[in-house]
Amino acid sequence: MQSRTSAARLGRPRSAAAATAILAATREALVEVGWSRLTLGDVATRAGVAKTTLYRRWSGKNELVVDAVAELFDELELPDSGSLAADIEGVVLQFAAILARPEAKSGLMAVVAESTRDEALRERIRGSIVDRQKRLVLQGRSRAQKRGELPPESDPEEAARTADLIFDVVAGAVVHRTLVSAEPADEEWVRSFTRVLLLGLTRAS
């Protein structure tokens, strides 16, 4: 007879595979039917799982869409291009490309709108998307400090506040450009934005 431990180990890959299939099906539904017509039953059918499997992980559509969009942003990587300016340009172009995808655009806009009336949803967006991607700021700043492009921080609390501010500036500008103004965040715009950002960073340093 198989032990409970062995059974649990065998169960984890199936659980992970189901979650991956559900999140992929959610993004597929966002593209095909949009947020307003997306249902958990449709997602379960697309993913080939029982509704109970889906409901064990997500209590509703909003939480499911947040996690499906968050998985897209996890694809972001900070390139090591040899300079802070080039690194920023590289990651901002990636960010803009993700926001241009229909599933990211419709999903993010919908859950942000819903979160204005739902504090728990705001917390989920913050934890699943915002806080996870702040790693890029920390990586970029550390790399720039090692190159001598930015000085090291002496106050950890001030360094954390600055990292939050940098993330807010970058994310806010790109989201506004692509989703609110509906203008392209192309290479020319990204270069101009990076120059303005670096001017502020170097003066602050």
Side-chain angles (χ1 to χ4, degrees):
M1 178 181 289
Q2 189 179 45
S3 69
R4 289 186 179 182
T5 302
S6 298
R9 286 175 180 167
L10 289 173
R12 290 192 189 103
R14 287 197 296 272
S15 177
T20 298
I22 290 167
L23 295 176
T26 302
R27 291 189 291 270
E28 178 184 283
L30 283 169
V31 173
E32 294 186 9
V33 303
W35 180 87
S36 62
R37 294 174 59 194
L38 183 150
T39 66
L40 269 61
D42 178 35
V43 169
T45 299
R46 290 171 184 267
V49 301
K51 286 184 182 180
T52 52
T53 300
L54 194 151
Y55 279 107
R56 278 199 296 268
R57 294 167 172 80
W58 295 277
S59 60
K61 179 168 74 171
N62 291 334
E63 293 80 6
L64 176 61
V65 170
V66 168
D67 287 359
V69 172
E71 200 169 61
L72 293 178
F73 291 120
D74 285 341
E75 296 174 8
L76 286 169
E77 294 183 357
L78 184 71
D80 190 352
S81 306
S83 71
L84 179 57
D87 289 355
I88 293 172
E89 290 177 13
V91 77
V92 169
L93 285 169
Q94 289 178 55
F95 184 31
I98 290 173
L99 288 175
R101 294 168 64 168
E103 61 269 40
K105 186 185 303 183
S106 62
L108 185 62
M109 292 288 275
V111 294
V112 167
E114 290 294 310
S115 72
T116 62
R117 302 185 294 272
D118 188 336
E119 176 61 29
L121 183 58
R122 278 200 298 273
E123 288 296 326
R124 193 178 189 98
I125 292 171
R126 188 177 299 117
S128 297
I129 298 176
V130 176
D131 290 345
R132 281 196 341 219
Q133 300 313 320
K134 285 182 180 178
R135 63 185 169 82
L136 299 168
V137 174
L138 300 177
Q139 291 172 8
R141 186 172 61 185
S142 175
R143 189 180 293 165
Q145 289 169 342
K146 290 177 181 176
R147 294 188 188 119
E149 295 173 290
L150 292 175
E153 300 92 354
S154 56
D155 183 347
E157 291 186 0
E158 180 64 26
R161 286 194 294 269
T162 301
D164 286 347
L165 180 58
I166 294 169
F167 180 87
D168 290 344
V169 169
V170 174
V174 181
V175 168
H176 187 278
R177 176 76 177 179
T178 57
L179 300 186
V180 180
S181 298
E183 296 288 344
D186 53 21
E187 291 186 4
E188 181 180 358
W189 181 86
V190 171
R191 280 195 297 270
S192 298
F193 169 73
T194 301
R195 283 198 298 271
V196 172
L197 180 64
L198 286 178
L199 181 63
L201 283 174
T202 53
R203 285 188 173 180
S205 299

